[in-house]
Amino acid sequence: MSLDTTAENADDHVDQGEPHPVVLSMRSVSKVYAGTTALQGVDFDLRAGAVNVLVGENGAGKSTMMKIIAGVEQPSGGEMELDGRPLMLRSTDDARRHGIGIVFQELNLFPNLSIVENLFIAREITGLGNAIDEAAELLHAREILKRLEQDLDPQTLVGDLRIGEQQIVEIAKALLQDARILILDEPTSALSAPEVEILFKVIAELKARGVAIVYISHRLEELVRIGDYITVLRDGRITGVAPMSTIDVPWIVHQMVGASTRDFARAQDHTYGDVALELASVSLPRAGVPGMLVDDVSLSVRRGEIVGMYGLMGAGRTELLECILGCHLELARGSVKLNGVELNGRNVDARIAAGLALIPEDRKADGLVHTMSVAENLTLASLWRLARHLHLSVAIERAAVRRFITSLGIKVANPALLIDSLSGGNQQKVVIGRALMTEPKVLLMDEPSRGIDIGAKADVFKVMRDLSHEGMGILFVTSDLEEVMKLSDRILVMSNGRITAEFTTGDATQEAIVAASSV
């Protein structure tokens, strides 16, 4: 297939005789925010009984487009139709009444409520006297969790779940709506490989029932596997539309970025320095129950070295990084040294001041202050570096913000805009930028590419490689095999709280890494 498909001729790709009728359509839809045009003249057809893939780089307009369909946002111009009739959605309640459900990329759960309470909040099952029928809700909750093959107690607090389990709860919420249109925005970003397979089985069931599914993901091979139709967005415009059976990954990349490929920043031979981070017998017991979250872990990271840690959800990777940063002082055991200096007993603030920084896995809950601007989120952890004579220097702050926005390729019209005005990938870049502004000696990164498109990944990974060449030690956690193999100078595998294997990049194979992660 030719790679010069554009918005003007994209519709020529779609066989109008396909057995999936259009249930919802958008025509010339635009969305303008203060200083930013998120969508420009978008035409989109959503087909029933099919997976309608929507793809594009961060900031391309995908989430904005889906928020309009879900009633979260209203278009600035254009029209929508549902079953051939004009559609105006003024709220998410309007969308639900029309059978439209959405699983947002950013989790929208109440951590202080149980799974079952989250599943039925604002749509409780009631009985006599309008009292909540807790038994019925528990029954439905167990049924939907069983359908998703999750052995979770519905009465568990959501705040006690790992991020991947919380993602499952979000998906369960949407499935309980019994929607005729279901939008899945990065549904697999925090799921393990077995959980992804379960989700795909559920999607196949929904297709068979005639549900129209919008599927957004940055995992391109995943899209090719599961999709029936694909629509590509770039800078708020449609650049390609096609049946999935007629295209391949290079075609998708070309429509997204205007080029045939964007490689990861590859490891290059260079000399490493002395040991920057050293762990000896670090352990973290489970609170109140037998077993270990982190079990006798010892490792080291040298100056200028990128160490990738691969493992499945629940392997203990996140908990290990939290131990290194001092998040579990009362429970954690073992030794953590930075440049030969023992950090035991020092709290998180002291360890950051010593030269550690962490990019958290869940940027929404742990990485951002949503009432602050982009600039304020960037500089929040390094205000003392920007002060002169005990007062914050606005000029120095602005210069630092501009420098990091440029170096990380953060797409923002004005740094004074609220952080929530940015796409998920650009928010992630802000979290990374804030950590780098503290000038760390060792950077800890927990799933740094979660929710980031291929172009943003290349930008972030290039920054990581540049930092390592400047002498920074980096320990990053990932569930992406390609990512850990292409970016790491050395690879560690973690399973059940332990380091189960170590590879040099020359010795590592995908089969060996996966085998070690299942020990």
Side-chain angles (χ1 to χ4, degrees):
M1 171 173 288
S2 171
L3 296 181
D4 62 356
T5 304
T6 62
E8 286 73 24
N9 62 16
D11 286 339
D12 293 340
H13 287 276
V14 179
D15 180 1
Q16 299 301 323
E18 285 279 54
H20 301 117
V22 173
V23 60
L24 182 144
S25 65
M26 307 174 79
R27 289 294 176 265
S28 300
V29 169
S30 61
K31 180 63 180 179
V32 179
Y33 297 100
T36 304
T37 300
L39 293 176
Q40 305 179 60
V42 166
D43 292 340
F44 177 66
D45 288 327
L46 179 57
R47 297 175 178 272
V51 175
N52 303 260
V53 165
L54 183 63
V55 67
E57 293 194 90
N58 288 118
K62 306 184 301 297
S63 292
T64 299
M65 189 168 152
M66 292 305 100
K67 286 178 180 178
I68 289 173
I69 294 177
V72 178
E73 301 276 4
Q74 286 71 51
S76 303
E79 299 174 342
M80 288 198 300
E81 290 185 349
L82 182 66
D83 298 324
R85 293 185 292 273
L87 177 68
M88 174 62 72
L89 301 174
R90 302 189 183 279
S91 68
T92 53
D93 286 339
D94 273 357
R96 277 194 291 268
R97 282 192 289 271
H98 284 90
I100 300 171
I102 183 168
V103 176
F104 290 103
Q105 178 181 350
E106 302 293 350
L107 302 179
N108 288 279
L109 300 169
F110 294 91
N112 59 326
L113 298 181
S114 68
I115 294 174
V116 64
E117 288 169 329
N118 270 274
L119 291 178
F120 290 98
I121 195 162
R123 47 180 173 156
E124 291 83 359
I125 300 175
T126 56
L128 292 175
N130 214 31
I132 294 175
D133 189 339
E134 295 181 359
E137 288 187 352
L138 273 173
L139 178 62
H140 285 291
R142 290 193 177 99
E143 287 175 349
I144 197 69
L145 290 173
K146 183 179 180 181
R147 184 178 174 191
L148 291 168
E149 299 182 31
Q150 296 299 305
D151 186 21
L152 294 172
D153 182 350
Q155 294 176 310
T156 303
L157 287 181
V158 163
D160 293 336
L161 303 179
R162 298 305 311 164
I163 186 72
E165 293 169 331
Q166 293 182 22
Q167 184 87 62
I168 291 290
V169 174
E170 278 284 16
I171 292 168
K173 277 173 57 180
L175 294 179
L176 280 171
Q177 292 184 40
D178 200 24
R180 59 184 300 219
I181 294 173
L182 181 59
I183 302 167
L184 301 174
D185 192 352
E186 296 285 352
T188 63
S189 61
L191 301 186
S192 65
E195 289 167 334
V196 170
E197 294 302 318
I198 294 167
L199 176 61
F200 286 178
K201 284 168 56 179
V202 172
I203 288 174
E205 294 173 10
L206 295 173
K207 279 177 56 179
R209 288 166 40 194
V211 176
I213 298 167
V214 181
Y215 193 93
I216 301 173
S217 176
H218 294 306
R219 300 177 177 179
L220 301 187
E221 290 77 8
E222 182 177 289
L223 300 181
V224 171
R225 174 185 169 189
I226 196 172
D228 297 299
Y229 303 92
I230 184 168
T231 300
V232 187
L233 273 170
R234 184 168 76 232
D235 296 328
R237 295 181 179 273
I238 302 292
T239 59
V241 178
M244 189 63 80
S245 60
T246 65
I247 58 93
D248 53 17
V249 170
W251 182 91
I252 299 173
V253 174
H254 181 82
Q255 306 306 319
M256 287 175 60
V257 302
S260 59
T261 187
R262 278 195 181 180
D263 290 331
F264 289 104
R266 292 180 178 273
Q268 300 173 4
D269 291 335
H270 66 282
T271 303
Y272 307 125
D274 296 333
V275 172
L277 177 68
E278 185 176 11
L279 275 60
S281 300
V282 171
S283 298
L284 179 66
R286 296 181 183 275
V289 295
M292 305 294 289
L293 292 169
V294 179
D295 192 359
D296 196 34
V297 170
S298 299
L299 62 84
S300 63
V301 180
R302 291 173 288 180
R303 294 191 184 99
E305 184 182 28
I306 296 179
V307 177
M309 179 176 288
Y310 179 85
L312 302 178
M313 187 182 69
R317 308 164 309 166
T318 295
E319 291 82 0
L320 176 62
L321 296 189
E322 290 172 350
C323 287
I324 296 171
L325 196 66
C327 298
H328 303 287
L329 284 182
E330 294 185 0
L331 290 175
R333 299 291 181 267
S335 171
V336 178
K337 292 182 180 180
L338 184 65
N339 290 335
V341 177
E342 180 64 63
L343 298 182
N344 278 6
R346 299 195 193 187
N347 62 17
V348 173
D349 288 342
R351 296 193 189 201
I352 291 174
L356 286 175
L358 171 65
I359 310 299
E361 179 183 23
D362 188 347
R363 62 173 171 265
K364 181 179 180 181
D366 303 324
L368 298 168
V369 181
H370 295 271
T371 56
M372 288 185 172
S373 69
V374 173
E376 289 167 334
N377 270 277
L378 268 171
T379 61
L380 188 61
S382 53
L383 292 175
W384 62 276
R385 295 178 181 273
L386 308 173
R388 295 295 181 269
H389 307 296
L390 301 181
H391 294 283
L392 179 65
S393 170
V394 175
I396 294 175
E397 181 184 27
R398 286 176 178 169
V401 167
R402 284 196 299 269
R403 183 168 72 253
F404 277 87
I405 284 175
T406 300
S407 64
L408 290 173
I410 300 171
K411 294 181 181 179
V412 58
N414 185 341
L417 291 173
L418 285 176
I419 189 69
D420 285 347
S421 67
L422 299 189
S423 67
N426 282 297
Q427 289 180 6
Q428 181 77 333
K429 291 183 184 181
V430 170
V431 176
I432 293 170
R434 182 174 63 230
L436 296 182
M437 289 182 79
T438 67
E439 299 182 5
K441 299 179 179 68
V442 172
L443 185 60
L444 311 172
M445 309 181 80
D446 194 351
E447 297 284 4
S449 68
R450 180 174 175 248
I452 291 182
D453 63 70
I454 55 173
K457 281 185 184 182
D459 294 339
V460 170
F461 294 163
K462 182 180 185 304
V463 168
M464 291 169 65
R465 182 56 59 192
D466 290 344
L467 290 169
S468 72
H469 286 172
E470 294 168 7
M472 185 182 294
I474 297 174
L475 174 62
F476 81 101
V477 161
T478 181
S479 304
D480 189 312
L481 277 170
E482 182 183 20
E483 189 173 300
V484 77
M485 293 188 68
K486 287 191 174 181
L487 185 63
S488 306
D489 298 314
R490 185 160 50 94
I491 299 170
L492 304 175
V493 182
M494 196 168 183
S495 177
N496 294 316
R498 288 179 169 271
I499 301 296
T500 55
E502 178 175 340
F503 303 95
T504 63
T505 52
D507 296 334
T509 65
Q510 290 194 8
E511 293 77 11
I513 292 172
V514 170
S517 71
S518 303
V519 173

